[in-house]
Amino acid sequence: MASLVLPPPSSCSTSSSSSPSHRRRSIYSRCFIPAASTNNIIRCEISKSLNEKPLIPTVNDDMLPNFMQVGSLNNSVVNGKLKLFSGTANSELSKEIARYMGLELGMINVKRFADGEIYVQLQESVRGCDVYLVQPTSPPANENLMELLVMIDACRRASAKNITAVIPYFGYARADRKTQGRESIAAKLVANLITQAGADRVLVCDLHSGQSMGYFDIPVDHVYCQPVILDYLASKSISSNDLVVVSPDVGGVARARAFAKKLSDAPLAIVDKRRHGHNVAEVMNLIGDVKGKVAVMLDDMIDTAGTISKGAALLHEEGAREVYACCTHGVFSPPAIERLSSGIFQEVIVTNTIPLKEQHYFPQLTVLSVANLLGETIWRVHDDSSVSSIFT
């Protein structure tokens, strides 16, 4: 049986470096599939249940595996040349990233005037610094996008050396091509806005399509959040012979195939759908066998949940024993909550790239944190180290 590509097996222990300010923590819990297991069960060494609350923090005091150690901090970090600022879109994620990196969030004043205009003032010097601005363009997309642009402009005018826009969720990513005449390509427009505002680099999580990276005229670091979801699935006692990874549409086949390969080289199934309008999907048929199996549906985002819920209903009709829904971005536009909590899913697994409100929680929901993954990526970008090695 092929092994899951995750950090090497070890117990989940706690340790730290000699200096608290230089502490480096693990990106995710260390899970594995024993290659010589006789019962083909996926196992993980964990100290407590991960299903007690909807929110599952991954910040802990484990040391990084050897392949993820990039060496000691360079002097520029110690001298305060790396600055991390947060917008208002997802401040909790920003705090987790800062905690992982052993830094304090930069002081910034963001407010809105009575007419809705956005005001940004940096309350500390960034002259000559490498600045990282954490701001997803999640709903309300237009307000959060404009706030990011104003933050970038403020840093540029304050003489920051390099400005990196850390965008856990890139809004307008679905408008990446023309499907019919006289349409705009809004993803390219947003990329131009971010570039012209003064950003030197962009760091994004799980773009809707990889081609969107080509819309930027500046370097783009694409962070894949699959390791976080894989690690969580590996903690469940699911027989690898019972697993099947399902792509909810033809466009996500490459993503699902890569995920299946890392998940014990599980078989792949595809839901064939035809969309008759925006946020409206109709499931047609299933390619592959899911009878008696545990189906793991994988997508980059869940918006209204029409695609994934109709796909799950089809999987149950075809004999699937259980259905898990996994995605990076939980947009959850109405009526997503009603569809996801209807009982067709054993569990819905998302990450915290988009902040979820209390009314978005339901019993089957599990939220995983990508803070450590983003924090490690920021370190590597700052240290001029390889980012792709995190995922290989």
Side-chain angles (χ1 to χ4, degrees):
M1 179 183 67
S3 297
L4 181 62
V5 181
L6 288 171
S10 63
S11 298
C12 294
S13 59
T14 300
S15 60
S16 63
S17 60
S18 58
S19 174
S21 64
H22 297 172
R23 185 175 299 152
R24 310 292 294 279
R25 302 177 177 89
S26 68
I27 288 183
Y28 39 79
S29 305
R30 303 178 180 183
C31 305
F32 66 100
I33 300 178
S37 174
T38 57
N39 55 5
N40 291 333
I41 296 296
I42 302 176
R43 300 188 184 279
C44 174
E45 298 179 11
I46 53 178
S47 57
K48 60 180 180 180
S49 171
L50 296 177
N51 277 323
E52 294 175 356
K53 299 179 180 179
L55 182 62
I56 302 177
T58 61
V59 178
N60 54 63
D61 292 329
D62 289 353
M63 292 300 291
L64 288 171
N66 291 334
F67 81 98
M68 304 191 89
Q69 294 176 356
V70 296
S72 60
L73 306 181
N74 74 41
N75 292 330
S76 66
V77 179
V78 178
N79 294 334
K81 292 300 182 182
L82 188 155
K83 299 283 188 179
L84 183 68
F85 292 93
S86 173
T88 60
N90 198 341
S91 57
E92 289 301 317
L93 175 60
S94 301
K95 291 175 183 177
E96 290 186 35
I97 294 173
R99 189 182 306 124
Y100 169 82
M101 299 180 69
L103 300 174
E104 295 290 337
L105 282 175
M107 297 172 58
I108 185 172
N109 180 23
V110 181
K111 65 180 182 180
R112 284 165 173 77
F113 292 109
D115 63 353
E117 293 181 4
I118 298 171
Y119 171 84
V120 172
Q121 181 191 28
L122 303 176
Q123 297 185 312
E124 60 184 82
S125 175
V126 296
R127 185 178 299 273
C129 296
D130 290 338
V131 176
Y132 294 82
L133 305 174
V134 183
Q135 174 78 347
T137 54
S138 51
N142 297 330
E143 282 196 21
N144 289 331
L145 173 61
M146 191 63 198
E147 182 180 319
L148 173 63
L149 298 176
V150 178
M151 290 171 64
I152 294 173
D153 183 71
C155 292
R156 180 175 62 87
R157 297 179 186 277
S159 301
K161 182 180 179 182
N162 292 298
I163 303 170
T164 300
V166 181
I167 311 175
Y169 171 71
F170 183 69
Y172 290 101
R174 286 174 284 185
D176 56 1
R177 65 191 184 280
K178 294 179 68 172
T179 58
Q180 52 188 344
R182 298 178 296 281
E183 281 187 334
S184 69
I185 304 179
K188 172 59 176 173
L189 173 62
V190 173
N192 287 343
L193 289 171
I194 293 172
T195 303
Q196 292 302 316
D200 299 293
R201 178 182 292 269
V202 170
L203 193 157
V204 294
C205 293
D206 282 337
L207 287 168
H208 186 64
S209 61
Q211 69 201 44
S212 298
M213 288 188 287
Y215 294 156
F216 289 89
D217 297 324
I218 54 179
V220 177
D221 289 299
H222 194 190
V223 178
Y224 300 94
C225 296
Q226 285 186 0
V228 177
I229 299 175
L230 282 166
D231 182 62
Y232 176 71
L233 289 175
S235 70
K236 295 183 168 295
S237 297
I238 304 173
S239 172
S240 59
N241 294 328
D242 292 339
L243 280 172
V244 58
V245 175
V246 181
S247 173
D249 53 34
V250 176
V253 170
R255 182 187 303 111
R257 184 184 294 116
F259 190 83
K261 185 176 180 180
K262 294 181 180 180
L263 197 62
S264 302
D265 202 15
L268 182 67
I270 304 169
V271 175
D272 177 33
K273 68 169 186 181
R274 296 185 183 179
R275 193 182 294 275
H276 297 288
H278 296 296
N279 296 327
V280 178
E282 180 182 353
V283 170
M284 301 301 292
N285 52 24
L286 179 69
I287 304 171
D289 180 27
V290 298
K291 188 173 183 180
K293 293 183 177 293
V294 176
V296 178
M297 301 189 72
L298 180 72
D299 211 345
D300 62 316
M301 69 174 71
I302 297 177
D303 189 358
T304 60
T307 297
I308 204 161
S309 61
K310 289 184 178 180
L314 177 64
L315 295 177
H316 281 294
E317 291 175 7
E318 296 293 331
R321 191 169 79 242
E322 293 177 349
V323 179
Y324 289 80
C326 302
C327 80
T328 300
H329 312 296
V331 182
F332 292 169
S333 302
I337 302 304
E338 290 78 6
R339 289 170 172 171
L340 296 173
S341 60
S342 62
I344 59 176
F345 294 103
Q346 179 74 14
E347 192 171 1
V348 178
I349 304 166
V350 301
T351 71
N352 61 345
T353 55
I354 296 177
L356 296 180
K357 299 178 182 179
E358 187 174 351
Q359 59 265 31
H360 288 155
Y361 288 128
F362 52 94
Q364 297 90 347
L365 179 65
T366 296
V367 182
L368 306 176
S369 177
V370 296
N372 293 5
L373 191 60
L374 288 173
E376 180 64 23
T377 303
I378 292 173
W379 275 128
R380 291 183 175 229
V381 170
H382 184 74
D383 291 343
D384 294 325
S385 300
S386 171
V387 172
S388 61
S389 61
I390 295 177
F391 313 105
T392 56

